[in-house]
Amino acid sequence: MKPLLLPWALLLLATAPGPGPWPAAGAQGTCSNRCGDRGSLCSCHPTCVGLGTCCPDLRDFCLEIQPHSGSMMGGKDFLVQHLKWTGPADAVICRFKESVQTLGHVDSMGRVHCVSPLLYETGRIPFTVSMDNGRSFPRSGTWLAMHPSKVSDSEKSQLVNETLWQYYGTPGSGGNLSLTWSASALPSSAVSIELWGYEETGKPYSGEWMAKWSYLYSLATNIPNSGSFTFTPKPAPQNYQRWELGALRIVSSKYHGGAKDVQALWSNEHALAWHLGEDFQADPVAWARKQCQAWEELEDQLPNFLVELPDCPCTLAQARADSGRFHTDYGCDMERGSVCTYHPGAVHCVRSVQASPRFAAGQQCCYTKEGTQILTADSTSGSTPDRGHDWGSPPFRAPPRVPGLSHWLYDVISFYHCCLWAPDCPRYMRRRPSSDCRSYRPPRLASAFGDPHFVTFDGANFTFNGRGEYVLLEAAQTGLSVQARAEPRTTPEGVPQRGTGLTAVAVQEGNSDVVEVRLAGGAGPLQVLLNQEVLSFAEQNWMDLKGMFLSVATGDRVSIMLSSGAGLEVSIQGPFLGVSVLLPETFLTHTRGLLGTLNDDPTDDFTLRNGQVLPPTSSSRELHRFGADWAVRNASSLLTYDSRLLVNNFLYGPKHDPTFQPLFPEEVALSPSQAAEAAELCGGDHFCSFDVAATGSLSVGNATRAAHQLHQRHVQSLKPVVSCGRLDPPPNGRKDGTNYLMGSTVLFHCNNGYSLVGAEVSQCQADGTWSRPTPTCQPGRSHAVLLSIIFGGLAAVAVVTLIYVLLRRRKSHTAAWTSRP
C-alpha cells in the first residue's frame, strides 16, 4: 500500500504552505530581487536559515540592518550588515516605499550605510538599495519607523524644562531656554540648531489635505558639539509666525540649512510659544483667546467626528482589562507614577487602539483613583476625544492620520489656546465632550492554559491535551483565525510525558500580517515571529503592523490588538504558554473552534466542524474527539515550520497525532501525600489538581492555578456595569457627586437667592434611570436667606431691648443721685 500513497504525499508537499521542498544537494540560485521567496532551487524565505535551504547570497540581498528602528522624523544612520562595497560611494542609493530616495554612504571599512528619511507614518517601511546609482534595486530590507514619543530619550534632543518652552512669553515664563543631546550620537565636531515647523494645508477631509514639515531658520550654526545649547528667544520674523507647532533639529554644520535626509537628532514636537511674535508676548491671553475663537469657528465647519467613536469603559478596571480596544495613554499611566499633565486629578487614562473608520479620530478615557470616569462636563481634567488619533491611522501620510502630529494640530494646540494660555477652557470642553459609558459593552474573554485547559467565551471549561496543531478560534465575519501548537512535556532526560501544553500561538485577521508567539527554548523566554520571520525587541516594545498593533512587556507577555477590536494576550504560564482572547460583542454567533460558540449559551460550545454538538456532560474522552476535530489543516496553517523537527512532526506528520495517549481527568489519581499537598495548594481548583497529578509537580500546578485566577479576575473586571449617564446640575445651582453608576447618589443645591423645587437627592437605579430628575432653582428666598433674616431680626430686637434696659437703669440711677442733699 505504501507505493500507492506516494503520489498523494508528493502532492501534499507541493501545496503545503510551509518551507516547501528542500533543494537538491549543490543546487545554486540567487536572492537578487527574490527576498521572501522559497523558490525551487534554493530559498530566500526567513525559514531557510533553520532548514539549511538558503541561497548562498541570502545575506547580500536580503538585508539585515543595525539599528533596525528609529523615529519617523528620520535622521537615523543605520548599517547594512554583511555587505561590503569597494565601488564608488556616490553610487549607493537607498529607496524607501518605492518613493523616497536618499543617498547612501560607505564608511572607511567599506560598509554600506543608509539614513532614514523624514516620514509621515509609522510601521515597517520596506526599503531597497542600489549600488549602481539607481539603475537597479535588487537588495531589500525593512526599516521600522516609530512614533516620536515611543523612541528612547537617547535618540532625541531634550528640551530642558519643556513646560517653560511651551509657556514662554506668558506671565512668569521668560529668560533663557536650554537644549541638551548626546554629543556622541552625532559624529561631528560642530553642529547647527534648526527650527522646523509643521502644518497641514488644503481643504479638510479632501484629497488636497496635505501634511508638511518645513525648515524655518537656524537658531545657531557652527557651534561646538558639546551636548548642550542655551539661548534667549526672540520673536520670529513675521513670515514665520504662522507656525505654532514645530521641533528642533541638530545636524552637522557641514550641511546647509534644511538639508534633507542627513543624520540628525530631533527634539519632541512642541507648542512654539517661545517663537511667536511680539503681539503674543505683549498680551498672551488676548492673543490666545483670539486663536481659541478661530479654532471654534473652524470646528463648527468640520464634520462631527464624535458619532463614530467607541464609548468609554465605565470603570478603570474595565478600561485596563479591555486590552483589545483600549491601551494605556503614556501621558497618564498609573504604572509610571500617574503624571497626568493634561488631566490633573486622574490616575490613569486609556486611548482607543484603533482610529475611527471614516474620520480617523480617537477616543480617550480618564479615571480617578476610585475607578470612576472623569467627564469634561464636570471637570477640565475629563476624558477628551481627539479629532486626530494620537497614533495615526493607515494610510498615515495624509491628515488627519499623521501619527502624533495631526493630533497636536487639532486637539493639543487648541488646548493651549483655550485652556493653558487663556482661561477659556469651557469653550474647548464643549467641543471635546467626554463619552459616557451608557452604550459600552465589555468584551468577552476565553482562555487556554496549563495542560492545556480551556475556558470558553460562554464559560464552559474542559481539558484537552492532544498533540498537534489546533484551531482555537475562527470567525468568518472578519477572517479572524487563532491557532495553537500543543506538544508533550518532557522529563529532564528528554522523555515525552503523556500531558501536553501550548508551545506556539499564531493569529491573522483578514489580510493582516501573521504574528506567532512561541516558546523560544534556549534563545529566551518568548519568541515573536512576523510572517514567519523572528522579530527583535531589543530596541523597542511596540510595533505598528498591517492590521494590528503589537506590544511586548518584559519578555514574558505579548499583546496583539487587531483592527476589529479583538485582542490576544500570550504569556508564559509555567512550562507552557497561556493565551487569552478578547472579542467585542460584534462577534456574537460568529465564532467556532476550541474556544466555543460566543452566544451566551455554554451548552453548544462543543460544536464539531460538521455542526454536531456534543452535550456539556460529555466525558473527557468524548471531548478529546471534539478537540481532535479542530486540528489545523495544512492549507490554512498560520504556524511556522523553520526546523526539520517541526517540518517532520507537524507539516508532514498528522496535524492531530492519533497515536499520542493523553491523560484524562477522570482517570488520574493522586497518592495520599500528593492529594494533601494538592488540596493545600489548589483548594477547589480542579485544573490545578489535575496538573499536579499529571506532572507530579506542585510548581506546574501553581502556575495553572495562577493562570486560572488571572482569567477569573479579568472576567470579574469585565462584568457589565449599569450607568445612568450624567445628571446635570440645575441652572443657578450646583451638585455634589460625579459617579453615575448604579447605586451612586447626586445631591443638589441652589445658589443664594434661589430655592430648590424638586428632590434634593437622586440615585442611579438598576434599570439605568435616575430615581428623581434634576430639580430646578427658582428665584426666591432660599432657606439660608430666610434663616439669616429671622436670626438677624431676632438679633436686632435683642440689641434694641438691651439698649432700652440700659437706658432705663441709667435714668433711675440719675434720679437717685439728684435727690440727695
Side-chain angles (χ1 to χ4, degrees):
M1 294 297 292
K2 289 184 178 179
L4 295 177
L5 294 176
L6 183 58
W8 295 104
L10 292 176
L11 178 61
L12 173 63
L13 300 188
T15 58
W22 297 329
Q28 296 295 317
T30 179
C31 285
S32 176
N33 290 307
R34 284 190 54 238
C35 291
D37 293 345
R38 289 187 170 88
S40 55
L41 294 177
C42 60
S43 175
C44 303
H45 191 270
T47 56
C48 75
V49 176
L51 296 170
T53 60
C54 301
C55 294
D57 60 2
L58 172 74
R59 288 185 165 184
D60 294 331
F61 289 96
C62 303
L63 305 178
E64 299 175 24
I65 61 175
Q66 183 66 32
H68 66 267
S69 65
S71 170
M72 72 176 194
M73 299 298 293
K76 188 75 170 287
D77 180 274
F78 61 84
L79 169 67
V80 180
Q81 297 181 318
H82 315 300
L83 182 62
K84 295 284 188 175
W85 181 243
T86 57
D90 58 1
V92 179
I93 296 177
C94 308
R95 185 170 66 184
F96 296 78
K97 289 204 77 170
E98 300 294 324
S99 59
V100 181
Q101 288 195 176
T102 67
L103 291 177
H105 63 278
V106 181
D107 63 23
S108 59
M109 301 174 65
R111 300 178 303 180
V112 175
H113 294 250
C114 296
V115 175
S116 64
L118 171 61
L119 298 165
Y120 295 82
E121 61 183 301
T122 57
R124 287 168 58 88
I125 309 296
F127 75 93
T128 53
V129 176
S130 171
M131 314 296 281
D132 55 11
N133 203 29
R135 287 190 293 274
S136 64
F137 289 84
R139 295 171 169 83
S140 61
T142 303
W143 170 253
L144 180 62
M146 302 289 294
H147 191 292
S149 69
K150 292 186 172 73
V151 299
S152 66
D153 289 343
S154 63
E155 297 184 41
K156 299 184 286 188
S157 60
Q158 306 298 317
L159 305 177
V160 179
N161 189 358
E162 190 166 340
T163 301
L164 177 61
W165 284 75
Q166 301 190 132
Y167 277 83
Y168 197 91
T170 61
S173 300
N176 293 333
L177 296 177
S178 295
L179 178 74
T180 62
W181 65 93
S182 173
S184 61
L186 282 176
S188 177
S189 60
V191 297
S192 297
I193 315 291
E194 303 174 341
L195 175 63
W196 287 63
Y198 180 78
E199 61 184 336
E200 294 181 356
T201 60
K203 183 180 179 181
Y205 301 103
S206 75
E208 301 159 2
W209 209 1
M210 300 295 293
K212 184 179 181 182
W213 276 103
S214 300
Y215 165 72
L216 302 185
Y217 53 84
S218 293
L219 296 177
T221 58
N222 202 32
I223 63 171
N225 183 13
S226 63
S228 66
F229 172 66
T230 299
F231 71 108
T232 302
K234 297 179 181 179
Q238 184 66 36
N239 56 327
Y240 294 124
Q241 290 181 14
R242 79 169 188 267
W243 281 279
E244 297 181 53
L245 173 64
L248 297 179
R249 190 180 78 154
I250 308 174
V251 297
S252 170
S253 289
K254 69 181 181 181
Y255 301 116
H256 63 81
K260 293 185 177 180
D261 307 323
V262 298
Q263 191 171 356
L265 292 175
W266 290 84
S267 74
N268 284 336
E269 69 274 17
H270 60 280
L272 300 179
W274 59 272
H275 142 101
L276 298 176
E278 293 179 351
D279 53 344
F280 172 77
Q281 296 185 4
D283 192 346
V285 171
W287 185 95
R289 277 181 162 155
K290 183 178 179 181
Q291 298 299 318
C292 181
Q293 181 179 352
W295 169 76
E296 283 183 306
E297 293 171 357
L298 174 63
E299 277 291 306
D300 291 343
Q301 299 172 22
L302 297 178
N304 179 13
F305 69 93
L306 301 173
V307 296
E308 61 175 13
L309 289 180
D311 280 329
C312 285
C314 291
T315 67
L316 177 57
Q318 286 180 335
R320 300 187 72 193
D322 193 352
S323 56
R325 293 184 289 183
F326 294 92
H327 193 271
T328 298
D329 181 349
Y330 295 115
C332 184
D333 181 358
M334 64 190 306
E335 295 183 3
R336 299 185 182 183
S338 298
V339 181
C340 305
T341 303
Y342 300 116
H343 302 276
V347 297
H348 196 74
C349 296
V350 296
R351 291 188 182 277
S352 57
V353 170
Q354 302 293 338
S356 66
R358 181 181 175 192
F359 298 119
Q363 183 63 279
Q364 184 195 50
C365 314
C366 296
Y367 300 87
T368 66
K369 63 181 179 181
E370 292 79 20
T372 57
Q373 188 191 359
I374 307 175
L375 303 182
T376 54
D378 293 324
S379 169
T380 57
S381 301
S383 319
T384 51
D386 304 316
R387 183 170 289 279
H389 195 293
D390 185 31
W391 302 338
S393 174
F396 291 114
R397 299 179 67 86
R401 299 175 180 272
V402 182
L405 301 170
S406 293
H407 172 58
W408 257 97
L409 276 187
Y410 304 111
D411 304 297
V412 182
I413 283 289
S414 48
F415 187 79
Y416 277 82
H417 293 158
C418 302
C419 297
L420 301 184
W421 294 343
D424 286 350
C425 214
R427 298 168 68 181
Y428 180 88
M429 297 303 173
R430 279 196 296 271
R431 285 162 176 78
R432 292 292 184 270
S434 299
S435 158
D436 65 21
C437 68
R438 279 177 292 176
S439 300
Y440 172 75
R441 298 293 180 268
R444 310 300 178 86
L445 176 68
S447 298
F449 49 85
D451 200 49
H453 313 289
F454 298 83
V455 184
T456 69
F457 292 106
D458 294 337
N461 63 81
F462 66 102
T463 296
F464 167 65
N465 46 19
R467 179 188 183 276
E469 295 174 349
Y470 304 96
V471 175
L472 299 185
L473 170 65
E474 282 183 352
Q477 174 193 23
T478 65
L480 173 61
S481 178
V482 182
Q483 302 174 1
R485 178 180 293 144
E487 298 184 76
R489 293 185 306 273
T490 58
T491 66
E493 295 77 25
V495 179
Q497 295 181 312
R498 290 179 65 189
T500 61
L502 303 184
T503 59
V505 176
V507 59
Q508 183 181 36
E509 186 170 53
N511 65 346
S512 77
D513 285 328
V514 177
V515 167
E516 180 178 347
V517 184
R518 67 186 184 186
L519 292 173
L526 278 183
Q527 196 174 68
V528 183
L529 295 89
L530 175 65
N531 301 325
Q532 302 187 346
E533 179 181 5
V534 177
L535 294 175
S536 169
F537 288 90
E539 297 175 14
Q540 72 293 306
N541 57 14
W542 178 278
M543 287 190 186
D544 301 0
L545 304 176
K546 182 181 178 183
M548 63 179 71
F549 292 99
L550 182 65
S551 175
V552 174
T554 64
D556 62 0
R557 188 172 73 254
V558 177
S559 296
I560 303 165
M561 296 148 274
L562 302 167
S563 58
S564 65
L568 276 78
E569 187 169 285
V570 185
S571 58
I572 295 177
Q573 304 285 356
F576 290 115
L577 297 179
V579 58
S580 296
V581 183
L582 288 162
L583 293 182
E585 275 195 340
T586 52
F587 282 86
L588 274 170
T589 72
H590 293 290
T591 69
R592 309 191 312 157
L594 296 186
L595 296 181
T597 305
L598 173 56
N599 61 358
D600 296 321
D601 179 9
T603 64
D604 64 355
D605 278 354
F606 306 137
T607 301
L608 304 179
R609 271 192 162 108
N610 63 9
Q612 180 186 352
V613 178
L614 300 183
T617 56
S618 299
S619 69
S620 294
R621 283 187 175 274
E622 292 170 320
L623 291 178
H624 194 77
R625 180 167 71 92
F626 162 68
D629 188 60
W630 283 104
V632 170
R633 293 165 177 164
N634 263 340
S636 58
S637 176
L638 304 177
L639 294 153
T640 302
Y641 311 95
D642 56 356
S643 71
R644 291 179 181 261
L645 181 66
L646 291 174
V647 167
N648 292 332
N649 286 346
F650 296 104
L651 180 64
Y652 297 161
K655 290 299 185 184
H656 169 75
D657 185 355
T659 66
F660 180 76
Q661 295 298 315
L663 289 169
F664 297 106
E666 298 92 337
E667 301 170 8
V668 174
L670 288 166
S671 67
S673 60
Q674 285 180 321
E677 291 177 327
E680 182 178 357
L681 171 69
C682 303
D685 191 322
H686 59 284
F687 289 153
C688 171
S689 299
F690 173 81
D691 285 3
V692 171
T695 66
S697 170
L698 291 175
S699 64
V700 173
N702 189 49
T704 297
R705 180 180 64 89
H708 195 192
Q709 287 178 341
L710 181 63
H711 171 89
Q712 292 169 327
R713 286 197 300 271
H714 280 167
V715 169
Q716 184 67 31
S717 296
L718 291 169
K719 280 191 173 181
V721 174
V722 174
S723 171
C724 295
R726 182 176 183 270
L727 203 57
D728 292 323
N732 303 307
R734 63 192 186 280
K735 67 174 183 178
D736 293 333
T738 56
N739 185 347
Y740 308 119
L741 304 182
M742 186 180 71
S744 60
T745 58
V746 174
L747 282 74
F748 302 98
H749 312 277
C750 289
N751 299 335
N752 287 337
Y754 294 86
S755 57
L756 193 73
V757 178
E760 186 178 2
V761 179
S762 188
Q763 186 175 45
C764 179
Q765 303 174 117
D767 63 356
T769 63
W770 290 99
S771 60
R772 296 288 187 274
T774 298
T776 60
C777 290
Q778 296 184 353
R781 292 175 175 174
S782 67
H783 296 302
V785 173
L786 290 173
L787 289 174
S788 64
I789 292 173
I790 292 170
F791 284 109
L794 292 174
V797 171
V799 170
V800 171
T801 303
L802 180 61
I803 293 172
Y804 175 78
V805 170
L806 290 174
L807 289 174
R808 292 283 296 174
R809 286 182 178 179
R810 182 177 181 183
K811 183 175 180 182
S812 63
H813 285 303
T814 302
W817 177 266
T818 55
S819 64
R820 288 180 184 178

